[in-house]
Each structure stands twice: as structure tokens, then as C-alpha cells.
Amino acid sequence: MLTRVILFIFSLKCVCGNVADVVLACSLVEEGVELGGLHGGPSFTRTPATLVLKDVAVAAEESLELLTPFVPPSVPDPDAIILEVKATASSPQIPNVDMLLHADCNDLEVTCEMSQYSVGEAHKRSGVAHFMVSVSVEASRFSMVLILQTLAVEGPSTLVQSRLGLPLGLSGTLSTEVVFLVFSQRNSESAQLKSDAVLHCGFRRQEAPPAQDVGVEWRLQHKGRGWKVLQTQTRLDGTEQNAAVHEERRGSSVNLTQVVAEGDASVFLSNLKVRDEGSYICSVRLGPFHAQQIIRLHLFQPPQVLLSQEKLVWKEEPQTLSCHSAKYYPLDVQMEWLLLPPSDTEPTVSKDQGSLSSHRQHADGSYSLASHLAVPSTVAPGTQIICRVSHRALEAPLSVSLLVEKPQASSYWWIVGFLIITVLFFYQVMK
């Protein structure tokens, strides 16, 4: 489970333009083996750590005078884990820095976790280590994964981080730079059944050889099952003969031009069905680096509500009135009956809420439900009977109603009366 943290914010005073330091309280996550645990399964340890995004560019209107720069500990502590992320000339720009800068003031909860990252043997270099850092801002639905690479220690220093075994600078921090990142501006989306959706996933990188391949894969996981949606492979130089797209889900696509030119690996999904709901995993692989984002897709469809009758005429015996809530998704729906007598101004909930039918699921995965109310003769003419339906796909409850009408005199007795009067008239005439 991710640990909720509050963001601490600092900023550099004006040095070479508008830049700031953003400091995040993080956790270093390491995997181990729980000797005494159930079946000896894996366990994870979390050690407090600090992530410092140094000299990140901020908007020109930011008031830097109100902020202070990050100040490392006056006495370096080899037990402290402080990763400084420096903005080098070749580093990709970190997205949504302004959001992180103001997260504390806006009461946004930020989650930050880091772990050591291993590249393939062919890409390992002596004295260079890598870290993967996951950052998410809950309320804003923004999340990103950074791949960091350590930088050479400047100046003479004999300090070594006690847990990581890596050399530290004179200030007791571990200097790194961003070499690759994958992010999503919206890691949770909602869409209506049978509509289309775009799930956002982007990536940024250090300067890379144009001939380098970039691979994008989208997978869907839901209720313990997983399957591939789409996979692409292309070169950063946009050479078409090397591009490949394997579409597993019909109606899914990724724009390869945007992948190369903008680092946009978003997937387009058409004609959404219930089986398309779940957690989508966007994986981007570039050279030795690989990172992913999880975007959750929630589907909905508001109910269609109607009554079984257009009008109801008062009778001495009870009558059945049905309210149908049809073609909604997801399953949960609430139906209730209300009565508004002619003498009242506000409806009240009926004591008798009738009976509910069983849920019916349609071929498209949507549901229907009916509520049946026995309307007694005690419900006076002029009373409004209301069926109110609540569902998460509705911004407000949906109501349908009808008015109990007064009974009209039977046409049979009008005819009988007319015949009697006619017979009496002719009888008087014939006398």
C-alpha cells in the first residue's frame, strides 16, 4: 500500500531565471523475504527518504521572494537517504511542476516511493546506479515514474550512504539526473457505454540516438484477469518500414506520429463495452529503460425510467403501477415511491415501497430493474405518484410521475338512461 505524504515546498531565489526546488518526503522500498511469514513469502521494507527536484522551471508569475531554497543538513548524515535530481542540459523536463509546487497550499496529498532500478548487463556502467521514483497527486489524477541515474561526485568526499553503499557529495546528498520518465495527466477516466475514450500516457527522455527503438504496450486487467490490448514498435526517427502495430482489441489505436514527435503514447478506444472496464497498464520501453503507468477506466450508463401506465384512474380496488429502470450500468440503483396529495406542497416517501423484480442483465452488460406498487383506494384523486431513481451515472435523481384521476360516469348508465327516457317519451306520445 502506498504511503500518503504531505508535500514540502522550497524555492530558489532568482538565479538564472525562475527556478525552484521541490522537496518530497518519500519512502525507499526494498524487497526482502519474511522468514517467519506465511509460506515464507516476500515482504517489503520502507525507509524514509527525501527527493529534491533541483532548479525546476516555474511560471514567470511565481513570487520567488516568498520561498526559500533547499538547504542540506549542516552535518552530513550517511544514514539519511537524500536524492537530489539536478536539471542537466540533457535531462527531460519534469511535467506538472507547478502542481507539485503548490500541492501543500492546495491540500493535495502526494505519494512518493523510490526503489533501486536495474538495467541490463549490456548497459551497466561502473560507478553508475539507477533509481525508479513513483510520484502521484491523488486529487488531480496526475502520476509519473522517473528513472534517475547517479552523477559523479563533485570534489573530494569519503562519505558513503550506509544502506545503499553509494558515494555521497560533501553535503551528504546523492546527485542524480532524470534519464527517462513516463507520466499520465489523468490516471482515472470515466466514459459512457458505446462511447469512445482516450487514455493518456506520455513519456520523455534524454537525448537518444534517432535509430533507437521505442516500444509501447497497453494491457487491461480486471477482476483477476489480464490481456493485451495493443502493442507498437517504432523508431525515434519515424522510419515507417520499421513501425509495427499489433491490435488485439478491435477499435484500439496509438498514433505513431505522436509517439515519435511528442512522446504521446495515449491509446484510443472506440465503442466501449462493459468488458473494456478495468485498469489499463501503459508500458513504454526505450533502450535499457522501461516504465509504466496505470490508468483506471470506469464505465457508466444512466438509466431510462418510465412508468407502466400514462394515466391512472381511481378505483375501489387496488391497482398495480410499475416503474421500470432500464439499461443502466453499473449495477447499483435505488428506486423509491413518493406521494404528493393535492393538499400538500412537498412529496413524502410512501410507506409501501412495493416489490422489486430481480435484476436483468442485457447482452451489452447493462441492467434493468422494475418496482411494482399496489396503489390502494385510499390514494385520493388528485394525488401525484412519483417514482424516483438514483444511480451513480446521474448527477441528480431522476423522477417520473402521474396524477390519479377522478373516475368518469360509466357510459353504460348514460345509454340505459337515454333509452328509458326515449321509451317514456314515445309512450306519452302514443297515448
Side-chain angles (χ1 to χ4, degrees):
M1 180 180 294
L2 297 182
T3 304
R4 305 286 183 199
V5 297
I6 301 297
L7 179 66
F8 299 93
I9 303 169
F10 302 86
S11 173
L12 279 177
K13 294 179 182 177
C14 190
V15 179
C16 301
N18 285 0
V19 293
D21 294 349
V22 179
V23 180
L24 300 177
C26 295
S27 295
L28 174 68
V29 180
E30 298 173 290
E31 184 177 352
V33 177
E34 186 178 357
L35 297 178
L38 182 64
H39 307 300
S43 64
F44 295 91
T45 61
R46 286 176 167 80
T47 306
T50 302
L51 180 72
V52 183
L53 305 179
K54 292 286 293 181
D55 300 348
V56 292
V58 296
E61 58 269 17
E62 291 289 348
S63 177
L64 302 180
E65 295 180 357
L66 301 177
L67 305 171
T68 56
F70 167 71
V71 179
S74 56
V75 179
D77 182 2
D79 293 331
I81 303 174
I82 305 175
L83 267 63
E84 275 192 310
V85 182
K86 296 188 175 181
T88 63
S90 60
S91 297
Q93 185 176 3
I94 298 175
N96 286 15
V97 169
D98 289 348
M99 181 188 301
L100 296 175
L101 190 65
H102 297 291
D104 194 34
C105 298
N106 295 330
D107 292 329
L108 298 177
E109 292 187 358
V110 178
T111 301
C112 176
E113 291 190 337
M114 63 177 67
S115 59
Q116 290 185 282
Y117 181 84
S118 178
V119 297
E121 289 294 333
H123 299 278
K124 286 185 177 180
R125 289 189 292 159
S126 176
V128 176
H130 295 86
F131 292 86
M132 175 181 285
V133 181
S134 299
V135 178
S136 63
V137 185
E138 183 182 21
S140 69
R141 302 185 297 171
F142 168 75
S143 59
M144 65 178 175
V145 173
L146 308 174
I147 303 296
L148 307 180
Q149 178 176 282
T150 57
L151 298 172
V153 176
E154 297 179 358
S157 176
T158 58
L159 290 174
V160 175
Q161 211 291 320
S162 59
R163 193 176 191 91
L164 302 173
L166 297 174
L168 301 175
L170 293 174
S171 61
T173 63
L174 189 64
S175 295
T176 66
E177 63 177 340
V178 179
V179 292
F180 183 60
L181 66 89
V182 177
F183 67 102
S184 177
Q185 299 286 11
R186 302 175 302 278
N187 57 25
S188 179
E189 290 282 8
S190 296
Q192 189 165 339
L193 286 176
K194 300 180 182 180
S195 68
D196 303 334
V198 176
L199 306 183
H200 178 262
C201 181
F203 67 95
R204 294 176 183 176
R205 65 190 189 281
Q206 265 190 336
E207 294 297 327
Q212 196 168 38
D213 288 346
V214 56
V216 176
E217 181 184 84
W218 282 89
R219 296 186 65 85
L220 170 60
Q221 288 189 341
H222 189 52
K223 295 183 177 179
R225 298 177 58 226
W227 53 92
K228 187 184 296 183
V229 175
L230 180 143
Q231 184 175 11
T232 70
Q233 188 80 19
T234 188
R235 286 186 177 234
L236 293 178
D237 58 9
T239 308
E240 293 187 3
Q241 59 263 32
N242 296 316
V245 178
H246 301 283
E247 177 188 348
E248 302 286 340
R249 189 265 191 201
R250 182 178 298 179
S252 62
S253 62
V254 168
N255 189 321
L256 293 183
T257 301
Q258 292 182 351
V259 170
V260 173
E262 304 174 18
D264 187 352
S266 302
V267 67
F268 171 80
L269 303 172
S270 66
N271 192 22
L272 292 170
K273 299 176 174 59
V274 168
R275 64 173 178 266
D276 293 317
E277 186 174 50
S279 297
Y280 284 79
I281 303 172
C282 169
S283 300
V284 183
R285 184 179 297 275
L286 181 65
F289 305 118
H290 170 258
Q292 63 186 30
Q293 285 291 297
I294 298 177
I295 298 94
R296 292 171 178 82
L297 178 61
H298 306 277
L299 297 180
F300 67 90
Q301 184 158 283
Q304 304 169 12
V305 183
L306 69 158
L307 295 174
S308 58
Q309 299 170 230
E310 294 183 357
K311 66 177 183 177
L312 189 71
V313 179
W314 182 90
K315 290 183 179 180
E316 293 183 355
E317 64 274 7
Q319 304 178 76
T320 299
L321 179 63
S322 299
C323 182
H324 299 275
S325 180
K327 307 290 284 185
Y328 57 86
Y329 186 85
L331 180 63
D332 296 333
V333 69
Q334 182 179 358
M335 304 179 70
E336 58 180 347
W337 293 96
L338 299 93
L339 300 177
L340 179 59
S343 58
D344 295 346
T345 56
E346 293 293 334
T348 57
V349 177
S350 172
K351 294 182 180 179
D352 181 11
Q353 286 296 307
S355 60
L356 291 174
S357 67
S358 58
H359 287 279
R360 176 188 174 191
Q361 188 170 21
H362 303 279
D364 64 357
S366 63
Y367 298 92
S368 291
L369 183 68
S371 178
H372 309 289
L373 178 68
V375 183
S377 59
T378 54
V379 176
T383 299
Q384 189 177 7
I385 303 177
I386 304 167
C387 173
R388 186 165 65 189
V389 176
S390 301
H391 187 263
R392 69 176 67 179
L394 297 169
E395 294 183 1
L398 184 61
S399 299
V400 292
S401 64
L402 57 70
L403 201 65
V404 178
E405 300 180 2
K406 293 181 180 179
Q408 297 179 352
S410 173
S411 58
Y412 169 79
W413 294 110
W414 279 103
I415 295 173
V416 171
F418 176 76
L419 291 175
I420 292 175
I421 292 173
T422 302
V423 170
L424 291 175
F425 173 76
F426 281 105
Y427 176 78
Q428 293 294 333
V429 171
M430 295 298 295
K431 285 180 66 177

